Amino acid sequence: MRIRNFRCSRVLAGLIALMALTLVACGASGTNSDNTIRLGLSPDEDSAAVLARYEPLVDYLSEATGLRVEPYVGADYTAVIEALNSGHLDLAWFGPSEYVLASERVNGGVEPFASAIQSDDTVPYRSSFIVRTDSGINGPADFQGKVVAFTDPASTSGHIFGQYALTEAGYDVDSLFSQIVYSGSHDASLLSLLNGRVDVAAISSRKIPGFIDSGVAGRDEIKTVFESPEIPADPITYRADLPQDKKDLLRHAFLDQTPALAAALEGTGFSHFGEARDSDYDIVRTAYEVTGLEPEL
């Protein structure tokens, strides 16, 4: 049995999230909503953990721009795109494949202006296929007939680049695994692996050190047996129709390398932001083409 598409459940989750976001927006409308910027964050792990990790950055952005910055974590990876497309968000921190999808689907367009640069002590950004060390699985040749967990169809490191790497290595993903499931997040995929519900999990290489350091997974409990090419840095984007004065404020807040920004990024795995261009993500478009996957909401 293959679980290949959860579009209905994802759409329902997205609608629920949008309803909640609309209520937040309505509640803010009486408190200088023209001065409010709503920032979308993808649910690469539990939403509470995402909000806690980026709270210092949100506070910094509010202080640096003089705008009221409100964070929003999508119910799934495409919920942020839906919210941006519906005008409920102004700004979004995307994964690369989400950005490619947003660039095609958001009415009026989106503009990448900054990219999140990893700290020097972090591992390169890749899709890592991990297994339990006692599984007897040592590489893609051993994936035959196994159950794999990807995170979300729109996730760059949790799905797109994993499939891309396997396809480039000569494997037909549809026939390689006996079952493909989507867990919803990187930590959920790891837990499914540790609990024996899946045999292989494709997750972000950036997540693995944190899982080990926090004790969620023992250092000798899991191992990486296959990795994708390096993935381009996460883009920060705003709606193309955002007023220019707000764009300028946000660009300076993200791109000015100040001590305050460095402090706000502590604990996130990122050190600063660099310039971003649409062409930086052409390799993601290539990954979609090579795998035959179609970016879709």
PDB file of all heavy atoms in Angstrom, residues 41-42 44-60 71-73 263-269:
ATOM      1  N   LEU A  41       5.989  30.813   9.010  1.00  0.00           N
ATOM      2  CA  LEU A  41       7.067  29.866   9.274  1.00  0.00           C
ATOM      3  C   LEU A  41       6.566  28.459   8.999  1.00  0.00           C
ATOM      4  O   LEU A  41       5.439  28.116   9.356  1.00  0.00           O
ATOM      5  CB  LEU A  41       7.526  29.973  10.738  1.00  0.00           C
ATOM      6  CG  LEU A  41       8.067  31.339  11.174  1.00  0.00           C
ATOM      7  CD1 LEU A  41       8.175  31.390  12.694  1.00  0.00           C
ATOM      8  CD2 LEU A  41       9.422  31.613  10.533  1.00  0.00           C
ATOM      9  N   SER A  42       7.400  27.637   8.394  1.00  0.00           N
ATOM     10  CA  SER A  42       6.990  26.280   8.052  1.00  0.00           C
ATOM     11  C   SER A  42       7.118  25.342   9.245  1.00  0.00           C
ATOM     12  O   SER A  42       8.020  25.503  10.073  1.00  0.00           O
ATOM     13  CB  SER A  42       7.827  25.751   6.891  1.00  0.00           C
ATOM     14  OG  SER A  42       7.607  26.531   5.731  1.00  0.00           O
ATOM     15  N   ASP A  44       8.544  22.611  10.368  1.00  0.00           N
ATOM     16  CA  ASP A  44       9.527  21.536  10.229  1.00  0.00           C
ATOM     17  C   ASP A  44       9.613  20.684  11.487  1.00  0.00           C
ATOM     18  O   ASP A  44      10.228  19.627  11.488  1.00  0.00           O
ATOM     19  CB  ASP A  44      10.892  22.084   9.830  1.00  0.00           C
ATOM     20  CG  ASP A  44      11.459  23.074  10.836  1.00  0.00           C
ATOM     21  OD1 ASP A  44      10.719  23.489  11.750  1.00  0.00           O
ATOM     22  OD2 ASP A  44      12.647  23.422  10.696  1.00  0.00           O
ATOM     23  N   GLU A  45       8.996  21.171  12.573  1.00  0.00           N
ATOM     24  CA  GLU A  45       8.809  20.369  13.782  1.00  0.00           C
ATOM     25  C   GLU A  45       7.560  20.897  14.476  1.00  0.00           C
ATOM     26  O   GLU A  45       6.803  21.678  13.906  1.00  0.00           O
ATOM     27  CB  GLU A  45      10.039  20.445  14.682  1.00  0.00           C
ATOM     28  CG  GLU A  45      10.453  21.839  15.085  1.00  0.00           C
ATOM     29  CD  GLU A  45      11.720  21.833  15.918  1.00  0.00           C
ATOM     30  OE1 GLU A  45      11.842  20.993  16.831  1.00  0.00           O
ATOM     31  OE2 GLU A  45      12.600  22.681  15.665  1.00  0.00           O
ATOM     32  N   ASP A  46       7.290  20.456  15.692  1.00  0.00           N
ATOM     33  CA  ASP A  46       6.117  20.891  16.432  1.00  0.00           C
ATOM     34  C   ASP A  46       6.010  22.416  16.410  1.00  0.00           C
ATOM     35  O   ASP A  46       6.997  23.127  16.607  1.00  0.00           O
ATOM     36  CB  ASP A  46       6.235  20.379  17.867  1.00  0.00           C
ATOM     37  CG  ASP A  46       5.121  20.891  18.744  1.00  0.00           C
ATOM     38  OD1 ASP A  46       4.007  20.365  18.638  1.00  0.00           O
ATOM     39  OD2 ASP A  46       5.378  21.822  19.523  1.00  0.00           O
ATOM     40  N   SER A  47       4.790  22.930  16.182  1.00  0.00           N
ATOM     41  CA  SER A  47       4.611  24.370  16.008  1.00  0.00           C
ATOM     42  C   SER A  47       5.063  25.169  17.229  1.00  0.00           C
ATOM     43  O   SER A  47       5.616  26.268  17.097  1.00  0.00           O
ATOM     44  CB  SER A  47       3.149  24.695  15.693  1.00  0.00           C
ATOM     45  OG  SER A  47       2.295  24.249  16.736  1.00  0.00           O
ATOM     46  N   ALA A  48       4.837  24.631  18.436  1.00  0.00           N
ATOM     47  CA  ALA A  48       5.274  25.330  19.643  1.00  0.00           C
ATOM     48  C   ALA A  48       6.795  25.471  19.669  1.00  0.00           C
ATOM     49  O   ALA A  48       7.331  26.507  20.080  1.00  0.00           O
ATOM     50  CB  ALA A  48       4.788  24.592  20.885  1.00  0.00           C
ATOM     51  N   ALA A  49       7.497  24.438  19.196  1.00  0.00           N
ATOM     52  CA  ALA A  49       8.963  24.485  19.161  1.00  0.00           C
ATOM     53  C   ALA A  49       9.440  25.499  18.130  1.00  0.00           C
ATOM     54  O   ALA A  49      10.426  26.218  18.352  1.00  0.00           O
ATOM     55  CB  ALA A  49       9.527  23.103  18.850  1.00  0.00           C
ATOM     56  N   VAL A  50       8.749  25.574  16.991  1.00  0.00           N
ATOM     57  CA  VAL A  50       9.110  26.547  15.952  1.00  0.00           C
ATOM     58  C   VAL A  50       8.942  27.970  16.491  1.00  0.00           C
ATOM     59  O   VAL A  50       9.822  28.831  16.335  1.00  0.00           O
ATOM     60  CB  VAL A  50       8.259  26.351  14.688  1.00  0.00           C
ATOM     61  CG1 VAL A  50       8.539  27.449  13.666  1.00  0.00           C
ATOM     62  CG2 VAL A  50       8.536  24.983  14.060  1.00  0.00           C
ATOM     63  N   LEU A  51       7.805  28.231  17.134  1.00  0.00           N
ATOM     64  CA  LEU A  51       7.547  29.568  17.676  1.00  0.00           C
ATOM     65  C   LEU A  51       8.576  29.943  18.741  1.00  0.00           C
ATOM     66  O   LEU A  51       9.061  31.077  18.781  1.00  0.00           O
ATOM     67  CB  LEU A  51       6.140  29.633  18.260  1.00  0.00           C
ATOM     68  CG  LEU A  51       4.990  29.636  17.240  1.00  0.00           C
ATOM     69  CD1 LEU A  51       3.658  29.486  17.955  1.00  0.00           C
ATOM     70  CD2 LEU A  51       5.014  30.914  16.408  1.00  0.00           C
ATOM     71  N   ALA A  52       8.917  29.003  19.604  1.00  0.00           N
ATOM     72  CA  ALA A  52       9.900  29.279  20.656  1.00  0.00           C
ATOM     73  C   ALA A  52      11.276  29.570  20.063  1.00  0.00           C
ATOM     74  O   ALA A  52      11.989  30.479  20.520  1.00  0.00           O
ATOM     75  CB  ALA A  52       9.982  28.096  21.619  1.00  0.00           C
ATOM     76  N   ARG A  53      11.643  28.821  19.022  1.00  0.00           N
ATOM     77  CA  ARG A  53      12.962  28.992  18.421  1.00  0.00           C
ATOM     78  C   ARG A  53      13.109  30.364  17.768  1.00  0.00           C
ATOM     79  O   ARG A  53      14.173  30.984  17.809  1.00  0.00           O
ATOM     80  CB  ARG A  53      13.208  27.892  17.388  1.00  0.00           C
ATOM     81  CG  ARG A  53      14.640  27.845  16.890  1.00  0.00           C
ATOM     82  CD  ARG A  53      14.847  26.915  15.714  1.00  0.00           C
ATOM     83  NE  ARG A  53      13.879  25.859  15.635  1.00  0.00           N
ATOM     84  CZ  ARG A  53      13.400  25.383  14.479  1.00  0.00           C
ATOM     85  NH1 ARG A  53      13.775  25.913  13.334  1.00  0.00           N
ATOM     86  NH2 ARG A  53      12.527  24.402  14.461  1.00  0.00           N
ATOM     87  N   TYR A  54      12.039  30.833  17.145  1.00  0.00           N
ATOM     88  CA  TYR A  54      12.138  32.082  16.387  1.00  0.00           C
ATOM     89  C   TYR A  54      11.556  33.299  17.118  1.00  0.00           C
ATOM     90  O   TYR A  54      11.527  34.393  16.546  1.00  0.00           O
ATOM     91  CB  TYR A  54      11.484  31.906  15.022  1.00  0.00           C
ATOM     92  CG  TYR A  54      12.285  30.988  14.140  1.00  0.00           C
ATOM     93  CD1 TYR A  54      11.873  29.677  13.895  1.00  0.00           C
ATOM     94  CD2 TYR A  54      13.494  31.411  13.583  1.00  0.00           C
ATOM     95  CE1 TYR A  54      12.633  28.821  13.113  1.00  0.00           C
ATOM     96  CE2 TYR A  54      14.258  30.555  12.809  1.00  0.00           C
ATOM     97  CZ  TYR A  54      13.824  29.269  12.574  1.00  0.00           C
ATOM     98  OH  TYR A  54      14.590  28.422  11.808  1.00  0.00           O
ATOM     99  N   GLU A  55      11.134  33.135  18.362  1.00  0.00           N
ATOM    100  CA  GLU A  55      10.610  34.274  19.108  1.00  0.00           C
ATOM    101  C   GLU A  55      11.621  35.415  19.217  1.00  0.00           C
ATOM    102  O   GLU A  55      11.264  36.589  19.016  1.00  0.00           O
ATOM    103  CB  GLU A  55      10.158  33.829  20.505  1.00  0.00           C
ATOM    104  CG  GLU A  55       9.546  34.953  21.316  1.00  0.00           C
ATOM    105  CD  GLU A  55       9.078  34.489  22.694  1.00  0.00           C
ATOM    106  OE1 GLU A  55       9.349  33.323  23.051  1.00  0.00           O
ATOM    107  OE2 GLU A  55       8.453  35.299  23.396  1.00  0.00           O
ATOM    108  N   PRO A  56      12.907  35.135  19.510  1.00  0.00           N
ATOM    109  CA  PRO A  56      13.869  36.242  19.566  1.00  0.00           C
ATOM    110  C   PRO A  56      14.013  36.962  18.224  1.00  0.00           C
ATOM    111  O   PRO A  56      14.185  38.193  18.192  1.00  0.00           O
ATOM    112  CB  PRO A  56      15.176  35.556  19.974  1.00  0.00           C
ATOM    113  CG  PRO A  56      14.742  34.323  20.698  1.00  0.00           C
ATOM    114  CD  PRO A  56      13.516  33.863  19.955  1.00  0.00           C
ATOM    115  N   LEU A  57      13.940  36.221  17.113  1.00  0.00           N
ATOM    116  CA  LEU A  57      14.033  36.854  15.798  1.00  0.00           C
ATOM    117  C   LEU A  57      12.826  37.738  15.542  1.00  0.00           C
ATOM    118  O   LEU A  57      12.963  38.856  15.016  1.00  0.00           O
ATOM    119  CB  LEU A  57      14.160  35.802  14.700  1.00  0.00           C
ATOM    120  CG  LEU A  57      14.194  36.354  13.266  1.00  0.00           C
ATOM    121  CD1 LEU A  57      15.421  37.241  13.061  1.00  0.00           C
ATOM    122  CD2 LEU A  57      14.166  35.224  12.244  1.00  0.00           C
ATOM    123  N   VAL A  58      11.639  37.272  15.906  1.00  0.00           N
ATOM    124  CA  VAL A  58      10.427  38.072  15.728  1.00  0.00           C
ATOM    125  C   VAL A  58      10.530  39.359  16.542  1.00  0.00           C
ATOM    126  O   VAL A  58      10.199  40.454  16.049  1.00  0.00           O
ATOM    127  CB  VAL A  58       9.179  37.265  16.146  1.00  0.00           C
ATOM    128  CG1 VAL A  58       7.944  38.158  16.193  1.00  0.00           C
ATOM    129  CG2 VAL A  58       8.948  36.103  15.170  1.00  0.00           C
ATOM    130  N   ASP A  59      11.024  39.247  17.777  1.00  0.00           N
ATOM    131  CA  ASP A  59      11.193  40.438  18.611  1.00  0.00           C
ATOM    132  C   ASP A  59      12.202  41.399  17.989  1.00  0.00           C
ATOM    133  O   ASP A  59      12.003  42.625  17.991  1.00  0.00           O
ATOM    134  CB  ASP A  59      11.651  40.041  20.021  1.00  0.00           C
ATOM    135  CG  ASP A  59      10.567  39.306  20.794  1.00  0.00           C
ATOM    136  OD1 ASP A  59       9.389  39.390  20.404  1.00  0.00           O
ATOM    137  OD2 ASP A  59      10.911  38.625  21.786  1.00  0.00           O
ATOM    138  N   TYR A  60      13.288  40.840  17.467  1.00  0.00           N
ATOM    139  CA  TYR A  60      14.311  41.675  16.814  1.00  0.00           C
ATOM    140  C   TYR A  60      13.730  42.410  15.613  1.00  0.00           C
ATOM    141  O   TYR A  60      13.967  43.617  15.433  1.00  0.00           O
ATOM    142  CB  TYR A  60      15.502  40.818  16.376  1.00  0.00           C
ATOM    143  CG  TYR A  60      16.317  41.468  15.283  1.00  0.00           C
ATOM    144  CD1 TYR A  60      17.239  42.479  15.576  1.00  0.00           C
ATOM    145  CD2 TYR A  60      16.133  41.103  13.946  1.00  0.00           C
ATOM    146  CE1 TYR A  60      17.959  43.108  14.566  1.00  0.00           C
ATOM    147  CE2 TYR A  60      16.846  41.723  12.935  1.00  0.00           C
ATOM    148  CZ  TYR A  60      17.762  42.723  13.245  1.00  0.00           C
ATOM    149  OH  TYR A  60      18.462  43.347  12.238  1.00  0.00           O
ATOM    150  N   PRO A  71       4.173  36.171  14.187  1.00  0.00           N
ATOM    151  CA  PRO A  71       4.525  34.897  13.560  1.00  0.00           C
ATOM    152  C   PRO A  71       3.305  33.997  13.371  1.00  0.00           C
ATOM    153  O   PRO A  71       2.332  34.060  14.127  1.00  0.00           O
ATOM    154  CB  PRO A  71       5.492  34.279  14.565  1.00  0.00           C
ATOM    155  CG  PRO A  71       4.991  34.795  15.888  1.00  0.00           C
ATOM    156  CD  PRO A  71       4.487  36.196  15.625  1.00  0.00           C
ATOM    157  N   TYR A  72       3.377  33.171  12.355  1.00  0.00           N
ATOM    158  CA  TYR A  72       2.331  32.182  12.072  1.00  0.00           C
ATOM    159  C   TYR A  72       3.009  30.904  11.600  1.00  0.00           C
ATOM    160  O   TYR A  72       3.823  30.937  10.666  1.00  0.00           O
ATOM    161  CB  TYR A  72       1.385  32.710  10.993  1.00  0.00           C
ATOM    162  CG  TYR A  72       0.564  31.650  10.290  1.00  0.00           C
ATOM    163  CD1 TYR A  72      -0.474  31.000  10.941  1.00  0.00           C
ATOM    164  CD2 TYR A  72       0.834  31.293   8.969  1.00  0.00           C
ATOM    165  CE1 TYR A  72      -1.230  30.027  10.299  1.00  0.00           C
ATOM    166  CE2 TYR A  72       0.084  30.325   8.316  1.00  0.00           C
ATOM    167  CZ  TYR A  72      -0.945  29.695   8.977  1.00  0.00           C
ATOM    168  OH  TYR A  72      -1.684  28.734   8.335  1.00  0.00           O
ATOM    169  N   VAL A  73       2.708  29.785  12.234  1.00  0.00           N
ATOM    170  CA  VAL A  73       3.244  28.483  11.820  1.00  0.00           C
ATOM    171  C   VAL A  73       2.136  27.722  11.117  1.00  0.00           C
ATOM    172  O   VAL A  73       1.054  27.507  11.680  1.00  0.00           O
ATOM    173  CB  VAL A  73       3.763  27.673  13.028  1.00  0.00           C
ATOM    174  CG1 VAL A  73       4.313  26.326  12.549  1.00  0.00           C
ATOM    175  CG2 VAL A  73       4.832  28.450  13.775  1.00  0.00           C
ATOM    176  N   ALA A 263      22.442  37.892  17.896  1.00  0.00           N
ATOM    177  CA  ALA A 263      21.909  37.401  19.167  1.00  0.00           C
ATOM    178  C   ALA A 263      20.535  36.772  18.981  1.00  0.00           C
ATOM    179  O   ALA A 263      20.208  35.760  19.615  1.00  0.00           O
ATOM    180  CB  ALA A 263      21.832  38.546  20.172  1.00  0.00           C
ATOM    181  N   ALA A 264      19.724  37.368  18.102  1.00  0.00           N
ATOM    182  CA  ALA A 264      18.372  36.857  17.869  1.00  0.00           C
ATOM    183  C   ALA A 264      18.387  35.493  17.193  1.00  0.00           C
ATOM    184  O   ALA A 264      17.431  34.727  17.311  1.00  0.00           O
ATOM    185  CB  ALA A 264      17.580  37.846  17.018  1.00  0.00           C
ATOM    186  N   LEU A 265      19.481  35.185  16.486  1.00  0.00           N
ATOM    187  CA  LEU A 265      19.571  33.916  15.762  1.00  0.00           C
ATOM    188  C   LEU A 265      20.242  32.806  16.567  1.00  0.00           C
ATOM    189  O   LEU A 265      20.318  31.667  16.108  1.00  0.00           O
ATOM    190  CB  LEU A 265      20.330  34.117  14.439  1.00  0.00           C
ATOM    191  CG  LEU A 265      19.575  34.896  13.356  1.00  0.00           C
ATOM    192  CD1 LEU A 265      20.507  35.208  12.184  1.00  0.00           C
ATOM    193  CD2 LEU A 265      18.357  34.108  12.870  1.00  0.00           C
ATOM    194  N   GLU A 266      20.707  33.112  17.751  1.00  0.00           N
ATOM    195  CA  GLU A 266      21.355  32.086  18.576  1.00  0.00           C
ATOM    196  C   GLU A 266      20.383  30.943  18.845  1.00  0.00           C
ATOM    197  O   GLU A 266      19.233  31.158  19.204  1.00  0.00           O
ATOM    198  CB  GLU A 266      21.835  32.692  19.896  1.00  0.00           C
ATOM    199  CG  GLU A 266      23.060  33.569  19.759  1.00  0.00           C
ATOM    200  CD  GLU A 266      23.563  34.068  21.103  1.00  0.00           C
ATOM    201  OE1 GLU A 266      23.032  33.599  22.133  1.00  0.00           O
ATOM    202  OE2 GLU A 266      24.469  34.923  21.125  1.00  0.00           O
ATOM    203  N   GLY A 267      20.869  29.733  18.654  1.00  0.00           N
ATOM    204  CA  GLY A 267      20.035  28.567  18.897  1.00  0.00           C
ATOM    205  C   GLY A 267      19.211  28.123  17.705  1.00  0.00           C
ATOM    206  O   GLY A 267      18.548  27.084  17.765  1.00  0.00           O
ATOM    207  N   THR A 268      19.254  28.882  16.614  1.00  0.00           N
ATOM    208  CA  THR A 268      18.483  28.494  15.427  1.00  0.00           C
ATOM    209  C   THR A 268      19.300  27.676  14.444  1.00  0.00           C
ATOM    210  O   THR A 268      18.744  27.052  13.543  1.00  0.00           O
ATOM    211  CB  THR A 268      17.953  29.741  14.686  1.00  0.00           C
ATOM    212  OG1 THR A 268      19.061  30.481  14.152  1.00  0.00           O
ATOM    213  CG2 THR A 268      17.128  30.623  15.607  1.00  0.00           C
ATOM    214  N   GLY A 269      20.625  27.716  14.575  1.00  0.00           N
ATOM    215  CA  GLY A 269      21.491  27.059  13.604  1.00  0.00           C
ATOM    216  C   GLY A 269      21.896  27.980  12.474  1.00  0.00           C
ATOM    217  O   GLY A 269      22.624  27.564  11.567  1.00  0.00           O
TER     218      GLY A 269
END
